[in-house]
């Protein structure tokens, strides 16, 4: 064979092998395309919404990470979970839940009747409704056109613990909700033990005094739930009787019934411009044991006594301890 041809053939063969080895080496050391494909697949697999069924049977597609939540009259559980709503419940011109204003000072009010245009203007990505009554008739369909709408409870007065857990689940904050409950139960138990040691089995009542009427808190609702169930204070006979006659959180008490109120401790929620001394000075108050003993404590209507929730109830516990255990 011609040596020149042999040499050329050999050179071509060596170059071909070199190029082949280089290509293989380059492919082995550059796995970027595979990694890029994996990352894309992972990103695409993250859900953007969850499908849940609310308290009244609506199937709701809830955003996986809602950013603009409207939950009128459910601000207590929202704040407890570290969520700031886009608007807050109010009656009239900015009459909001005073006890939450430290956390909601910059949150605009929305009328408690939730007019369609007002809800639309908040631009929510999730609407939470406290009860079925709030979405009666065609209201649910109207709100659901604005944003996914989830009804938390069926009743007008739902158990605040169940509401907290439900809202925690809807917002993807179940663990946070459970921790809030654990902390609250621990606080309530400690306070109950302190009160038992200090005053034993004495009774207490909460009265809401307005310009026209006097209301007594129900046995198992609002601050009554805290006084009698969480703190173990004894409910007076009058409170037991009135609680059986209606379903409202606060029920009107007649002057006749007021004279029979056998409460050792009295908590006044004062919506008047009078002092507690002025309120309790008429003769109708003088037969109440708490008035005779000087065990009357008053709080403004901006306090948490008219509301319920982990934050509201925790503040009520603080008020009771500061009043009853004062030296």
């Amino acid at each position: 064979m011609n040596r020149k041809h042999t040499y050329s053939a050999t050179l071509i063969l060596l170059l071909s092998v070199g190029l082949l080895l280089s290509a293989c080496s380059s492919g082995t050391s550059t796995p970027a395309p595979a990694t890029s494909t994996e990352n894309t697949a992972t990103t695409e697999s993250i859900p953007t919404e969850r499908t849940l069924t609310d308290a009244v049977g609506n199937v709701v597609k809830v955003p996986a990470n809602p950013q603009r939540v409207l939950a009128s009259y459910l601000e207590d559980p929202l704040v407890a979970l570290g969520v700031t709503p886009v608007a807050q419940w109010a009656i009239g011109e900015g009459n909001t839940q005073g006890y939450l204003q430290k956390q909601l000072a910059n949150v605009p009010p929305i009328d408690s009747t939730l007019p369609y245009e007002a809800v639309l203007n908040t631009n929510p990505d999730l609407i939470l409704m406290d009860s079925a009554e709030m979405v009666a008739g065609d209201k649910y369909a109207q709100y659901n056109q604005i944003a996914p709408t989830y009804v938390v409870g069926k009743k007008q007065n739902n158990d605040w613990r169940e509401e907290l857990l439900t809202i925690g689940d809807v917002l993807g904050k179940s663990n946070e909700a459970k921790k809030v409950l654990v902390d609250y139960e621990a606080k309530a138990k400690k306070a109950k033990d302190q009160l038992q040691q200090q005053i034993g089995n004495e009774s207490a009542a909460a009265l809401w005094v307005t310009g026209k009427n006097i209301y007594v808190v129900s046995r198992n609702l609002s601050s009554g739930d805290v006084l009698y169930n969480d703190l173990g204070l004894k409910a007076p006979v009058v409170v037991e009787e009135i609680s059986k006659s209606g379903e409202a959180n606060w029920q009107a008490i007649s002057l006749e019934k007021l004279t029979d109120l056998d409460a050792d401790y009295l908590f006044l929620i004062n919506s008047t411009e009078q002092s507690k001394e002025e309120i309790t000075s008429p003769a109708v108050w003088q037969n109440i044991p708490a008035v005779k003993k000087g065990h009357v404590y008053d709080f403004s209507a901006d306090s948490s006594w008219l509301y319920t929730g982990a934050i509201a109830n925790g503040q009520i516990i603080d008020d009771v301890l500061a009043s009853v255990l004062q030296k």
Side-chain angles (χ1 to χ4, degrees), residues 182-202:
V182 168
D183 291 345
Y184 175 80
E185 302 297 357
K187 177 174 185 170
K189 183 181 184 306
K190 181 179 178 181
K192 180 179 180 179
D193 292 342
Q194 289 178 286
L195 290 169
Q196 288 291 322
Q197 293 176 7
Q198 183 79 12
I199 65 174
N201 195 38
E202 294 194 302

Side-chain angles (χ1 to χ4, degrees), residues 115-325:
Y116 179 86
E117 290 294 334
V119 173
L120 182 63
N121 290 337
T122 66
N123 190 29
D125 59 6
L126 176 64
I127 301 173
L128 299 178
M129 288 295 183
D130 185 29
S131 66
E133 183 182 9
M134 295 179 69
V135 292
D138 61 352
K139 287 184 178 180
Y140 180 85
Q142 293 178 15
Y143 295 135
N144 201 44
Q145 287 180 345
I146 299 173
T149 301
Y150 186 102
V151 181
V152 176
K154 292 182 180 180
K155 304 176 182 178
Q156 182 178 0
N157 292 303
N158 298 297
D159 181 88
W160 72 267
R161 291 172 173 84
E162 293 178 2
E163 282 192 334
L164 174 64
L165 292 175
T166 297
I167 293 171
D169 179 53
V170 173
L171 299 181
K173 293 179 174 289
S174 291
N175 290 336
E176 291 90 334
K178 291 175 183 176
K179 185 179 186 304
V180 170
L181 273 186
V182 168
D183 291 345
Y184 175 80
E185 302 297 357
K187 177 174 185 170
K189 183 181 184 306
K190 181 179 178 181
K192 180 179 180 179
D193 292 342
Q194 289 178 286
L195 290 169
Q196 288 291 322
Q197 293 176 7
Q198 183 79 12
I199 65 174
N201 195 38
E202 294 194 302
S203 62
L207 297 178
W208 178 19
V209 184
T210 69
K212 296 181 179 180
N213 298 299
I214 301 173
Y215 301 89
V216 63
V217 74
S218 180
R219 170 72 172 74
N220 296 307
L221 298 172
S222 190
S223 45
D225 182 39
V226 183
L227 292 177
Y228 308 123
N229 297 327
D230 295 342
L231 297 181
L233 295 173
K234 182 180 178 182
V237 174
V238 169
V239 172
E240 296 281 8
E241 291 176 351
I242 293 180
S243 298
K244 294 176 182 178
S245 62
E247 297 180 355
N249 288 2
W250 295 83
Q251 301 184 67
I253 181 172
S254 66
L255 294 179
E256 179 184 4
K257 284 290 186 182
L258 186 62
T259 60
D260 295 332
L261 183 61
D262 55 335
D264 297 304
Y265 292 87
L266 201 57
F267 303 97
L268 294 183
I269 296 79
N270 191 351
S271 289
T272 75
E273 295 181 356
Q274 294 181 298
S275 67
K276 68 179 181 181
E277 288 79 15
E278 291 173 317
I279 291 174
T280 59
S281 61
V284 69
W285 291 81
Q286 298 306 308
N287 287 332
I288 301 175
V291 175
K292 293 179 178 180
K293 299 176 183 177
H295 294 165
V296 180
Y297 315 97
D298 65 330
F299 306 92
S300 73
D302 284 338
S303 68
S304 67
W305 281 79
L306 299 178
Y307 305 96
T308 191
I311 297 175
N313 295 356
Q315 291 182 14
I316 292 170
I317 290 174
D318 292 339
D319 288 342
V320 171
L321 292 181
S323 302
V324 175
L325 303 184

Side-chain angles (χ1 to χ4, degrees), residues 45-92:
S45 67
I46 297 176
T48 58
E49 62 184 20
R50 294 180 299 144
T51 301
L52 304 174
T53 301
D54 70 9
V56 294
N58 298 309
V59 177
V60 188
K61 291 185 177 180
V62 176
N65 186 27
Q67 299 297 307
R68 296 185 59 80
V69 181
L70 176 64
S72 182
Y73 214 62
L74 291 171
E75 288 84 3
D76 192 298
L78 253 64
V79 171
L81 294 173
V83 176
T84 302
V86 294
Q88 60 173 316
W89 175 92
I91 295 178

